Amino acid sequence: RMDISIQVPKVSIEQLQNQQRRRSSSSYRKGVLACLKRQEQRFNGDAQLRNGNMNLRQIKKHCHLSSAGEALMAKAYERMGLTVRSYHKVLKVSRTIADLEGVDRIEENHLLEALGYRLNLRNPGTEVDE
């Protein structure tokens, strides 16, 4: 099953010919490795366990939301018709987004980004603003 789906717009010829990289592949790699290290520390050195493998007990322990985050997820649960399973997947993806940013707390912007990925899964072809 897919937890994330994004639309990648076609690159214009102008962008292609004016190739100015904003971020190098090595900087992305460093960020991903730092994210993986955070997860390894979270799960007591178990390098095989990742956010996507969390069970319900671990989700409750590692995916704390502010009251605003809880309200946002309650609204999304109703409006988007999330299942219990998809609700938990959004929390796991949000946890990973926060890890990529190097922060301990899942904020509303992390939830919104993860919910945006769900929108693409439900409605292929819909674009989500970054």
Side-chain angles (χ1 to χ4, degrees):
R1 295 186 182 234
M2 297 294 295
D3 293 342
I4 298 175
S5 172
I6 60 171
Q7 296 292 319
V8 180
K10 183 177 178 179
V11 176
S12 71
I13 189 66
E14 293 82 14
Q15 291 171 320
L16 183 62
Q17 290 175 340
N18 184 16
Q19 293 184 5
Q20 294 179 353
R21 277 199 177 181
R22 294 182 188 170
R23 199 167 162 197
S24 69
S25 294
S26 64
S27 69
Y28 281 110
R29 180 174 166 36
K30 287 178 187 174
V32 169
L33 291 175
C35 176
L36 294 174
K37 185 69 170 174
R38 288 177 69 83
Q39 291 179 45
E40 186 176 332
Q41 291 170 345
R42 176 176 299 121
F43 300 116
N44 299 316
D46 185 346
Q48 300 305 309
L49 191 54
R50 300 285 183 238
N51 292 340
N53 304 112
M54 284 190 285
N55 60 34
L56 184 57
R57 181 184 55 79
Q58 292 164 325
I59 291 170
K60 288 180 179 182
K61 181 177 180 179
H62 301 296
C63 297
H64 295 284
L65 302 179
S66 65
S67 55
E70 288 179 0
L72 172 65
M73 286 302 293
K75 191 178 290 187
Y77 186 79
E78 293 300 320
R79 288 192 180 166
M80 294 175 68
L82 297 177
T83 62
V84 172
R85 182 181 180 137
S86 61
Y87 178 91
H88 289 126
K89 284 184 175 191
V90 169
L91 292 179
K92 292 176 189 182
V93 172
S94 298
R95 173 72 270 156
T96 301
I97 294 166
D99 286 344
L100 284 166
E101 288 187 7
V103 298
D104 292 327
R105 186 168 184 88
I106 297 172
E107 301 292 342
E108 289 85 76
N109 60 309
H110 305 131
L111 294 168
L112 288 168
E113 184 175 344
L115 288 165
Y117 297 141
R118 297 290 317 168
L119 283 175
N120 278 338
L121 285 171
R122 291 179 52 97
N123 302 309
T126 56
E127 293 187 34
V128 177
D129 294 330
E130 295 279 336

